[in-house]
Amino acid sequence: LLARLGKSSKKRGKRDCSPSLWVTAVVHLTTGVPWSWQIGKGNASERHHLRRLLSTLCKRSLLIADAGYDGYELAAAMITSGKSFLIRMSSKVELIVEQSIDSAEFEQGMVKCWPRRVQEKNLPPLRLRLIRVRGRRKVNGKTRKVDVWLLTNVEESRLSIAQGAYFYRLRWENEGLFRTYKRTLS
């Protein structure tokens, strides 16, 4: 079994990591109960795993995910499968704004996800909504402004900024549950 798992792409110092297993799980947000999962080698793609898991979700599901699940292909697959999503954006994601904005005042607005490589393939842009959730966090005893940027295909009438913030906070609570699993199981 260990020979077939392969090694993750991580290295520790001068030596490779031991064989590892990658688990991508869809978890019911309010209960923390695993809904479906995909297992792969330690160097598996969580995005590819999630694409395979889309068929396990109920129609009109709202998938809440962290920044590792961004990207045109995955968003297009979720839209095509009839699923809704709310994904945290990283600073590396390039989005096109439809009108000029004042970044200090921005709360939400329509954007296009249309990377150059997608444009070159003559694929259409994805019109999505970018939400800014303003927050504060204590870091080293000092309170700092910490904003979270979320991307969704759900219109404002069905998902407010406050609801998006609430759902994303619940996702972090589930992240803590998985951290406990990892620590307990080493």
Side-chain angles (χ1 to χ4, degrees):
L1 180 62
L2 290 177
R4 289 182 181 216
L5 283 177
K7 296 181 180 179
S8 70
S9 59
K10 297 178 184 176
K11 291 189 179 242
R12 292 197 178 137
K14 294 183 180 181
R15 61 185 174 89
D16 289 335
C17 287
S18 59
S20 58
L21 194 64
W22 189 278
V23 178
T24 304
V26 175
V27 177
H28 186 267
L29 195 61
T30 56
T31 63
V33 174
W35 182 270
S36 57
W37 55 89
Q38 179 77 43
I39 298 173
K41 292 181 179 183
N43 61 355
S45 165
E46 59 191 355
R47 291 179 190 180
H48 289 112
H49 279 183
L50 183 55
R51 283 182 80 161
R52 288 189 212 118
L53 293 171
L54 289 176
S55 65
T56 69
L57 301 175
C58 301
K59 291 236 184 238
R60 297 178 51 128
S61 292
L62 175 62
L63 189 79
I64 316 291
D66 205 16
Y69 294 96
D70 61 0
Y72 180 93
E73 291 79 8
L74 182 56
M78 287 189 272
I79 291 168
T80 300
S81 71
K83 307 304 185 281
S84 299
F85 59 85
L86 183 70
I87 299 175
R88 183 174 67 87
M89 291 288 94
S90 78
S91 59
K92 296 176 185 177
V93 175
E94 292 182 22
L95 299 169
I96 301 167
V97 294
E98 296 186 350
Q99 58 188 7
S100 66
I101 60 167
D102 177 1
S103 60
E105 299 297 320
F106 182 85
E107 289 187 350
Q108 66 179 328
M110 298 307 290
V111 296
K112 290 180 185 173
C113 177
W114 205 23
R116 187 168 313 286
R117 62 183 163 64
V118 172
Q119 293 177 33
E120 290 168 357
K121 294 178 183 177
N122 293 320
L123 294 171
L126 301 178
R127 281 193 84 242
L128 303 169
R129 183 165 64 114
L130 184 64
I131 300 171
R132 179 186 199 174
V133 177
R134 297 177 188 267
R136 298 195 176 279
R137 183 184 323 162
K138 282 200 173 194
V139 178
N140 297 329
K142 296 180 182 179
T143 302
R144 290 183 23 188
K145 285 200 283 185
V146 180
D147 293 342
V148 175
W149 296 82
L150 303 169
L151 192 66
T152 186
N153 62 334
V154 181
E155 62 272 4
E156 183 180 359
S157 63
R158 289 185 48 225
L159 181 70
S160 69
I161 295 172
Q163 289 170 319
Y166 173 72
F167 290 147
Y168 193 74
R169 196 169 29 258
L170 287 176
R171 194 208 71 77
W172 265 111
E173 290 175 10
N174 277 319
E175 190 76 24
L177 180 64
F178 277 90
R179 184 173 181 259
T180 302
Y181 289 155
K182 289 177 190 178
R183 297 274 168 121
T184 303
L185 300 173
S186 295

